[in-house]
Amino acid sequence: MWRPGFTYEDAIPARLYGANRSLCVLSHTYRGTEQRPGLVLGLDHGRSCRGMAFRVAEENGESVVNYLRKRELDSTVYLEVRRSIRLERQSGAEVEALLYVVDRTHPQYAGDLSRAKALKIVRRAQGNSGANHDYVINTADHLAKLGIKDPMLNWLARRLRAPTV
Protein backbone atom coordinates (compact mmCIF):
# COMPACT_ATOMS: atom_id res chain seq x y z
CA MET A 1 0.00 0.00 0.00
CA TRP A 2 2.82 2.41 0.75
CA ARG A 3 4.64 1.69 -2.50
CA PRO A 4 2.18 0.47 -5.14
CA GLY A 5 4.68 0.82 -8.00
CA PHE A 6 2.14 1.85 -10.64
CA THR A 7 0.20 4.96 -11.67
CA TYR A 8 -3.32 5.22 -10.29
CA GLU A 9 -6.09 7.79 -10.40
CA ASP A 10 -7.38 7.40 -6.86
CA ALA A 11 -6.57 5.52 -3.67
CA ILE A 12 -9.70 4.79 -1.65
CA PRO A 13 -9.82 3.23 1.83
CA ALA A 14 -11.58 -0.12 1.56
CA ARG A 15 -12.43 -3.27 3.49
CA LEU A 16 -12.04 -6.85 2.33
CA TYR A 17 -14.13 -9.46 4.10
CA GLY A 18 -12.88 -13.03 4.51
CA ALA A 19 -9.17 -12.21 4.75
CA ASN A 20 -6.68 -10.68 7.18
CA ARG A 21 -3.38 -8.95 6.57
CA SER A 22 -0.74 -11.29 7.97
CA LEU A 23 3.04 -11.42 8.11
CA CYS A 24 2.88 -14.99 6.86
CA VAL A 25 5.03 -15.24 3.72
CA LEU A 26 8.71 -16.19 3.74
CA SER A 27 10.49 -13.88 1.30
CA HIS A 28 13.42 -15.42 -0.57
CA THR A 29 13.99 -12.45 -2.87
CA TYR A 30 12.66 -9.02 -1.88
CA ARG A 31 13.23 -9.06 1.90
CA GLY A 32 15.34 -12.16 2.44
CA THR A 33 17.15 -15.03 0.78
CA GLU A 34 16.56 -18.77 0.61
CA GLN A 35 19.24 -19.25 3.26
CA ARG A 36 17.86 -16.48 5.48
CA PRO A 37 14.25 -15.73 4.49
CA GLY A 38 12.46 -12.59 5.52
CA LEU A 39 8.78 -12.13 6.26
CA VAL A 40 6.34 -10.17 4.12
CA LEU A 41 2.62 -9.62 4.24
CA GLY A 42 -0.02 -11.73 2.62
CA LEU A 43 -3.79 -11.77 2.62
CA ASP A 44 -4.64 -14.91 4.60
CA HIS A 45 -7.94 -16.43 5.70
CA GLY A 46 -9.61 -14.27 8.32
CA ARG A 47 -12.47 -11.99 9.25
CA SER A 48 -11.71 -8.72 7.46
CA CYS A 49 -8.95 -6.36 6.49
CA ARG A 50 -8.79 -2.62 5.94
CA GLY A 51 -6.56 -1.33 3.19
CA MET A 52 -6.53 0.74 0.03
CA ALA A 53 -8.25 0.21 -3.30
CA PHE A 54 -6.37 1.76 -6.21
CA ARG A 55 -8.45 2.95 -9.14
CA VAL A 56 -6.49 2.67 -12.36
CA ALA A 57 -7.33 4.39 -15.64
CA GLU A 58 -8.86 1.96 -18.11
CA GLU A 59 -6.11 2.56 -20.65
CA ASN A 60 -3.49 1.56 -18.03
CA GLY A 61 -5.35 -1.50 -16.76
CA GLU A 62 -3.53 -4.13 -18.79
CA SER A 63 -0.05 -2.77 -18.08
CA VAL A 64 -0.80 -2.48 -14.33
CA VAL A 65 -2.08 -6.07 -14.19
CA ASN A 66 1.02 -7.26 -16.07
CA TYR A 67 3.25 -5.36 -13.63
CA LEU A 68 1.43 -6.80 -10.62
CA ARG A 69 1.62 -10.34 -11.99
CA LYS A 70 5.36 -10.01 -12.53
CA ARG A 71 5.86 -8.63 -9.01
CA GLU A 72 3.40 -10.75 -7.02
CA LEU A 73 3.48 -14.08 -8.85
CA ASP A 74 7.24 -14.53 -9.10
CA SER A 75 7.30 -17.36 -6.54
CA THR A 76 3.69 -18.62 -6.84
CA VAL A 77 3.12 -18.11 -3.09
CA TYR A 78 0.28 -15.74 -4.00
CA LEU A 79 -2.86 -16.58 -5.92
CA GLU A 80 -4.50 -13.95 -8.11
CA VAL A 81 -8.21 -13.63 -7.31
CA ARG A 82 -11.03 -11.20 -7.86
CA ARG A 83 -13.10 -10.43 -4.79
CA SER A 84 -15.70 -7.95 -3.74
CA ILE A 85 -14.48 -5.13 -1.49
CA ARG A 86 -16.41 -2.38 0.25
CA LEU A 87 -15.18 1.17 -0.32
CA GLU A 88 -15.14 3.32 2.80
CA ARG A 89 -16.03 6.38 0.74
CA GLN A 90 -18.75 6.65 -1.88
CA SER A 91 -21.47 5.43 0.51
CA GLY A 92 -19.77 2.08 1.07
CA ALA A 93 -20.14 0.89 -2.50
CA GLU A 94 -19.07 -2.66 -3.29
CA VAL A 95 -16.69 -3.13 -6.21
CA GLU A 96 -14.70 -6.01 -7.62
CA ALA A 97 -10.96 -5.84 -6.96
CA LEU A 98 -7.94 -7.75 -8.16
CA LEU A 99 -6.15 -9.23 -5.13
CA TYR A 100 -3.27 -11.53 -4.35
CA VAL A 101 -4.01 -13.96 -1.51
CA VAL A 102 -1.53 -16.34 0.06
CA ASP A 103 -1.49 -20.00 -0.99
CA ARG A 104 -1.47 -21.89 2.31
CA THR A 105 -0.09 -25.01 0.60
CA HIS A 106 3.01 -23.23 -0.74
CA PRO A 107 6.36 -23.96 1.00
CA GLN A 108 6.88 -20.21 1.58
CA TYR A 109 3.71 -19.97 3.66
CA ALA A 110 4.93 -19.38 7.22
CA GLY A 111 1.53 -19.56 8.89
CA ASP A 112 0.66 -17.83 12.13
CA LEU A 113 4.02 -17.16 13.79
CA SER A 114 4.52 -16.04 17.36
CA ARG A 115 5.62 -12.45 17.81
CA ALA A 116 9.03 -13.57 19.10
CA LYS A 117 9.63 -15.86 16.10
CA ALA A 118 8.55 -13.16 13.62
CA LEU A 119 10.83 -10.61 15.32
CA LYS A 120 13.81 -12.97 15.11
CA ILE A 121 13.24 -13.55 11.39
CA VAL A 122 12.67 -9.87 10.53
CA ARG A 123 15.69 -8.63 12.48
CA ARG A 124 18.19 -10.72 10.51
CA ALA A 125 16.73 -10.78 6.98
CA GLN A 126 17.92 -8.72 4.02
CA GLY A 127 16.90 -9.09 0.37
CA ASN A 128 17.06 -7.40 -3.03
CA SER A 129 14.65 -4.67 -1.86
CA GLY A 130 16.47 -4.00 1.39
CA ALA A 131 16.30 -4.91 5.05
CA ASN A 132 13.24 -6.76 6.27
CA HIS A 133 13.00 -4.50 9.32
CA ASP A 134 12.63 -1.44 7.04
CA TYR A 135 9.69 -3.13 5.28
CA VAL A 136 7.94 -3.84 8.59
CA ILE A 137 8.58 -0.36 10.02
CA ASN A 138 7.53 1.44 6.82
CA THR A 139 4.37 -0.65 6.55
CA ALA A 140 3.45 -0.08 10.21
CA ASP A 141 4.03 3.68 9.81
CA HIS A 142 1.96 3.84 6.63
CA LEU A 143 -0.93 1.94 8.20
CA ALA A 144 -0.84 4.24 11.24
CA LYS A 145 -1.07 7.31 8.94
CA LEU A 146 -4.15 5.74 7.36
CA GLY A 147 -5.68 5.10 10.79
CA ILE A 148 -5.38 1.32 10.38
CA LYS A 149 -4.49 -0.58 13.52
CA ASP A 150 -2.37 -3.70 13.12
CA PRO A 151 -1.27 -4.92 16.56
CA MET A 152 1.33 -7.39 15.26
CA LEU A 153 3.05 -4.90 12.93
CA ASN A 154 2.92 -2.16 15.57
CA TRP A 155 4.50 -4.45 18.17
CA LEU A 156 7.22 -5.51 15.75
CA ALA A 157 7.94 -1.91 14.68
CA ARG A 158 8.33 -0.83 18.33
CA ARG A 159 10.78 -3.68 19.01
CA LEU A 160 12.72 -3.04 15.80
CA ARG A 161 13.14 0.64 16.66
CA ALA A 162 14.36 -0.14 20.19
CA PRO A 163 18.09 -0.49 20.66
CA THR A 164 19.21 -4.11 20.89
CA VAL A 165 21.26 -5.19 23.86
Side-chain angles (χ1 to χ4, degrees), residues 1 16 18-27 38-50 72 77-78 100-104 108-115 118 122 132 135-136 139 143 148-153 156:
M1 289 187 312
L16 168 66
N20 280 335
R21 177 185 308 100
S22 176
L23 207 55
C24 65
V25 175
L26 295 169
S27 175
L39 280 174
V40 294
L41 293 167
L43 291 172
D44 199 0
H45 298 294
R47 294 181 57 185
S48 72
C49 176
R50 286 185 66 219
E72 302 299 331
V77 69
Y78 297 112
Y100 294 90
V101 298
V102 69
D103 177 358
R104 286 181 152 207
Q108 285 178 255
Y109 177 67
D112 188 19
L113 299 173
S114 71
R115 288 178 172 189
V122 169
N132 200 182
Y135 169 84
V136 170
T139 303
L143 291 175
I148 298 173
K149 294 178 173 129
D150 190 306
M152 174 71 150
L153 284 176
L156 285 169

Side-chain angles (χ1 to χ4, degrees), residues 9-101:
E9 292 188 333
D10 200 6
I12 304 164
R15 182 174 294 274
L16 168 66
Y17 290 94
N20 280 335
R21 177 185 308 100
S22 176
L23 207 55
C24 65
V25 175
L26 295 169
S27 175
H28 294 167
T29 304
Y30 295 115
R31 296 297 173 165
T33 64
E34 285 192 43
Q35 298 76 25
R36 192 172 277 200
L39 280 174
V40 294
L41 293 167
L43 291 172
D44 199 0
H45 298 294
R47 294 181 57 185
S48 72
C49 176
R50 286 185 66 219
M52 298 300 287
F54 294 96
R55 186 168 54 83
V56 175
E58 189 173 336
E59 63 269 13
N60 296 335
E62 186 177 342
S63 65
V64 168
V65 170
N66 289 336
Y67 164 77
L68 289 171
R69 285 178 177 155
K70 183 178 178 188
R71 185 180 81 184
E72 302 299 331
L73 301 177
D74 71 324
S75 72
T76 69
V77 69
Y78 297 112
L79 303 170
E80 183 178 282
V81 298
R82 292 193 178 271
R83 298 261 170 87
S84 180
I85 62 170
R86 184 172 304 275
L87 302 178
E88 292 185 0
R89 295 193 322 225
Q90 302 169 346
S91 304
E94 274 195 33
V95 298
E96 185 179 78
L98 179 69
L99 308 168
Y100 294 90
V101 298

